[in-house]
Amino acid sequence: MIKAITGTKDILPNDINNWRRLENLIESRMKLYNYREIRTPVFEETSLFSRGIGETTDIVSKEMYTFTDRSGTSITLKPEMTASVVRAYLEHNLGKQYNFLKMYYISPMFRQERPQAGRLRQFHQFGAEAIGSNDPALDAEMIELSYSVLVNFGLKNLEIKINSLGTPESREIYKNELRSYLKSKFSDLSDDSKKRFNSNILRIFDSKDETDQIIMNQAPKILSYLDGQDLSHFEEVKKYLNLIGLNFSVDEKLVRGLDYYTNTTFEIISPKIGSQSALCGGGRYNLLIEQLGGKPTPATGFAAGMERILLACQNENCMDSSGQKIDVYIVRIDQDKESEVFKLASQLRNNGITTEHDYLSRSVKAQMREANRLNSNFVIMVGGNEFKHGNVVVKNMEDGTQVETKFSDINEIKRKLSK
Ligand code: HAM
């Protein structure tokens, strides 16, 4: 038997209810904050991501699904959306039409990571990007917006962590400082961290190795190396978060895994779901648009992993377990009433009434069982003595009452269904 590829997951009919609930919530929250939807292709030219996300990041160096197509172009399935959104923004000259633009997305992403609970190779993100403003209020809005989706979905165990990575210049001074601190500890670092020492030193903060963590806890921290402007931007972000009563903590070890960040970074964590606890991450990326060929344009955004949100929701018992409901199940009492049932179902559906009937030539008893299984509000029985007089029986499944009504009068049937 052919099985789904490792790290991918089917979303089955029984799972859909909660996915839809999440998607509807995302759409309504995005509308409240005035973000407009953008959809981009599932694959892009590889160089977009290697330039956008950074050659030395884990994503680009070891996680991308990259292949050469028949025309010899190197193609990559998108591992994240920010680079694609910026590409579309530049390609369609959106900056000319709007000096400030807020966009959101819901989309599958692809990363060849080692699969585990909350970590997939095809997963779904929703996210937002706002391009054209350096206002710290916008950073705070991103944090509030993403948090509001999580809270309104029913999650309670959430922690907001924020940090600032400053500008590349101040970061460079900090990295030098970190390098000289780590030189004397180099032999104690894990093999992975030794590699990161040369390629991407800040990512040593993400190491799960205990000795690395002890070393990094004592390392110099970035905020002491930011310049006045960066620090006041960070102070403003904190001020806005306090203004709306959002609890957060400053985590100077929050360096994020993508290279494009400047100034504010943040993550929202669900501390109880295990090692893949980051539900959401984002921050400001004031240099990316320029790096991808545009004019210098400040921007900020975030993305959240939808499978992880659902996992956290399962852990916190906030999943909606009510199944799908239908309005009417038509029970065919006499086998030869198939055409009448088919026509009535069509009329009811065209009148906006969710209707189902039997396709398996089941007995009346089995059809009633099916009506119950489908949580049908009403059953309409077509056939029997009533039908000889031109009537059908409408049964209310909640209180068990039943009434007769004329089969040929769809409006009368509708009225009976609304009682
Ligand atoms: P990211 O931190 O790489 O940021 O991903 C955001 C979220 O996607 C993570 O917090 C996590 O919930 C989810 N996620 C990432 N990888 C996986 C995976 N393998 N399986 C399941 N879920 C996963 C970004 O992607 C940036 N583009 C965010 C951003 C937007 N920054 C500015 N604008």
Side-chain angles (χ1 to χ4, degrees), residues 163 174 177-178 205 215-226 251-253:
N163 191 19
Y174 169 64
E177 207 54 41
L178 190 59
F205 279 112
I215 294 173
M216 295 315 276
N217 279 340
Q218 285 154 14
K221 300 289 170 349
I222 192 155
L223 291 179
S224 323
Y225 295 84
L226 299 189
D251 180 357
E252 290 191 69
K253 292 189 286 178

Side-chain angles (χ1 to χ4, degrees), residues 103-141:
M103 292 167 277
Y104 83 92
Y105 46 83
I106 301 177
S107 175
M109 305 290 156
F110 306 86
R111 296 184 192 176
Q112 192 162 4
E113 297 192 71
R114 200 165 38 78
Q116 63 181 83
R119 191 159 72 191
L120 292 148
R121 291 181 168 176
Q122 176 176 338
F123 58 99
H124 296 78
Q125 281 186 345
F126 77 89
E129 314 292 346
I131 303 182
S133 163
N134 192 35
D135 191 338
L138 202 56
D139 299 354
E141 178 177 298

Side-chain angles (χ1 to χ4, degrees), residues 205-217:
F205 279 112
D206 289 339
S207 171
K208 301 263 188 288
D209 181 273
E210 246 173 60
T211 315
D212 288 353
Q213 286 184 353
I214 295 169
I215 294 173
M216 295 315 276
N217 279 340

Side-chain angles (χ1 to χ4, degrees), residues 80 82 105 111 113 118-120 123 125 129 256 258 260-261 278-283 285 301-305 308:
E80 62 109 46
T82 313
Y105 46 83
R111 296 184 192 176
E113 297 192 71
R119 191 159 72 191
L120 292 148
F123 58 99
Q125 281 186 345
E129 314 292 346
R256 307 276 300 132
L258 304 94
Y260 48 61
Y261 291 108
L279 301 187
C280 170
Y285 49 95
F302 75 86
R308 284 195 198 168

Side-chain angles (χ1 to χ4, degrees), residues 79-172:
E80 62 109 46
M81 268 296 273
T82 313
S84 298
V85 170
V86 170
R87 197 254 323 125
Y89 175 87
L90 293 174
E91 186 170 339
H92 302 284
N93 253 322
L94 297 181
K96 272 225 170 89
Q97 287 176 57
Y98 312 94
N99 49 16
F100 176 54
L101 183 59
K102 290 160 108 179
M103 292 167 277
Y104 83 92
Y105 46 83
I106 301 177
S107 175
M109 305 290 156
F110 306 86
R111 296 184 192 176
Q112 192 162 4
E113 297 192 71
R114 200 165 38 78
Q116 63 181 83
R119 191 159 72 191
L120 292 148
R121 291 181 168 176
Q122 176 176 338
F123 58 99
H124 296 78
Q125 281 186 345
F126 77 89
E129 314 292 346
I131 303 182
S133 163
N134 192 35
D135 191 338
L138 202 56
D139 299 354
E141 178 177 298
M142 286 293 171
I143 298 170
E144 185 199 22
L145 166 58
S146 50
Y147 184 76
S148 83
V149 173
L150 302 179
V151 166
N152 281 286
F153 196 57
L155 296 175
K156 292 195 174 71
N157 284 320
L158 296 168
E159 282 173 18
I160 301 174
K161 295 183 171 178
I162 65 169
N163 191 19
S164 174
L165 296 179
T167 55
E169 294 77 37
S170 52
R171 194 151 65 224
E172 210 38 57

Side-chain angles (χ1 to χ4, degrees), residues 116-119 150 155 157-161 208 251 254 256 266-281 303-305 307-313 315-316:
Q116 63 181 83
R119 191 159 72 191
L150 302 179
L155 296 175
N157 284 320
L158 296 168
E159 282 173 18
I160 301 174
K161 295 183 171 178
K208 301 263 188 288
D251 180 357
L254 182 67
R256 307 276 300 132
F266 77 96
E267 280 188 1
I268 304 179
I269 309 287
S270 172
K272 293 194 181 145
I273 60 166
S275 63
Q276 303 307 306
S277 61
L279 301 187
C280 170
E307 283 81 358
R308 284 195 198 168
I309 294 172
L310 289 161
L311 193 67
C313 188
N315 273 6
E316 292 192 28

